[in-house]
Amino acid sequence: MSDPFVAHLRSVLGDNAVVDDVDVLDSHRNDQATFCVAGVPRVLVRPSTTAEVAVVLKAASEFGVPVVTQGARTGLSGAANATDGCLLLSTARMNRILEISAEDQVAVVQPGVVNAELSRAVLEQGLFYPPDPSSWEMSTLGGNIATNAGGLCCVKYGVTADFVLGLEVVLASGEVVRTGRRSAKGVAGYDLTRLIVGSEGTLGVVTEATLSLRPAPETALTAAATFLSIEDGIAAAAAVMAAGLRPSLLEFIDGPTARAIQDHRDMGLPADVGSLLIAQSDRGARAAEDVARIAAICTAHGAVEVAEASDAEESRMLLEARRLVHAALEPLGTSLVDDVAVPRSKLVALLRGIAEISTKYDVPIYCAGHVGDGNMHPNVIFEPGNPAAEARAMEAFGAVMELGLALGGTITGEHGIGTLKARWLEDELGPVGLELHRRVKKAFDPAGLLNPGKVLR
């Protein structure tokens, strides 16, 4: 029997944009998060324009069908996972860079544009789009906006929200609203743009974004330092920031993760490494001076070895260790990636606490992250298919978030809530804050059809 909802979508969008093949639907059910349930979708649509998205949402509203918007599905929180009977709205075909203006230093893009593609396109015009999540070669700008993604450059440049000037958004009703502006300044009304950034598809579907750009940075140079302890590495990072230096990248890798990287690929890391600090300056002619100062600070704080890059190729090689974290941990078991951020002054307490949690729940926890802004990514590793190990891993995962909150931090610095962290959101927001979130959700989406069950439980 023909599904009347699917038949209606085909009548207004055409067969090419509407998919109900069971195998295709199954392949689009989930993102890359662990421990996140994915339902069975009803249909997948692939609109190409804002007008088509409006038609889809209007139809979904009329038929009472929930809508889950998806980009590249590289997320780590389950925010793009299907719910039973939902419509999956893929933005993959909305992949055009509509404008790059060197004069205004803005780019106007559709949500399906891949982050790296925009970065390369603006670089050709001497411009720079800083947000660079680790998945930047695959993740789309719409997904980055939905989760307020961060990346390696956050320590100097900030997260996605800091570069979104305005949005075009289709509401659950099918109405289209434009938020923000193109100008560098603007304070009229409530900041709906900031509200939508990071809302994970629960308030509307972003169909266009006006993004702020920067002049392209000059040549970047890198320094890497190894320490015998976690404490020495964290102390060195704190001293770098306290010295008034603003590195374009400041990354931390703990000893167990560094040894896993060395086992995966020979990077010359010593067997007794306690932590590894990687810093970068993109200040061109002054980069060498910055790197020398960072190296001196690391030496003063107990670094046993410091390497300073003299050119871009050496810088790339020193950064390779940080980029190998995922590949190095993958053979060790299933990884449950946490994403807590704390004040930099609390990083030692966080890492000591993580070690205690690892012992308490008898699960290995490997930790790397963006030490410059206090955002750590503890990876809880467990044996797949072992229910007891999975249960301990999930308990440890929750304990890490509770520790982060106790230290004055947050349960997510850049991955978002999705379904993975929804149960802990009230712990951070408090009951009044959570109720305000629910009221905002209801104002945008009265019937609760947009990404139901995500962020707010």
Side-chain angles (χ1 to χ4, degrees), residues 125-139:
Q125 299 195 32
L127 297 168
F128 177 43
Y129 180 67
D132 63 339
S134 296
S135 59
W136 78 306
E137 291 281 6
M138 299 176 289
S139 64

Side-chain angles (χ1 to χ4, degrees), residues 8 18 20 47 141 162 188 215 220 259 263 273 282 288 322 344 354-355 361 373 393 403-404 425:
H8 173 72
V18 181
D20 60 356
L141 293 165
D162 298 308
R259 287 187 285 277
D263 290 342
V273 58
D282 62 2
R322 178 63 178 91
R344 287 194 295 266
I354 288 171
Y361 293 101
D373 52 27
L403 172 63
L425 186 60

Side-chain angles (χ1 to χ4, degrees), residues 188-233:
Y190 297 132
D191 193 345
L192 297 181
T193 302
R194 281 268 183 168
L195 184 60
I196 291 166
V197 175
S199 62
E200 303 183 38
T202 62
L203 301 182
V205 177
V206 173
T207 54
E208 185 182 296
T210 301
L211 305 174
S212 175
L213 305 175
R214 300 287 184 271
E218 299 180 75
T219 301
L221 294 178
T222 305
T226 55
F227 301 85
L228 293 176
S229 70
I230 284 174
E231 290 81 0
D232 286 347

Side-chain angles (χ1 to χ4, degrees), residues 148-163:
N148 197 7
L152 302 184
C153 291
C154 288
V155 62
K156 181 173 182 178
Y157 294 103
V159 296
T160 297
D162 298 308
F163 294 88

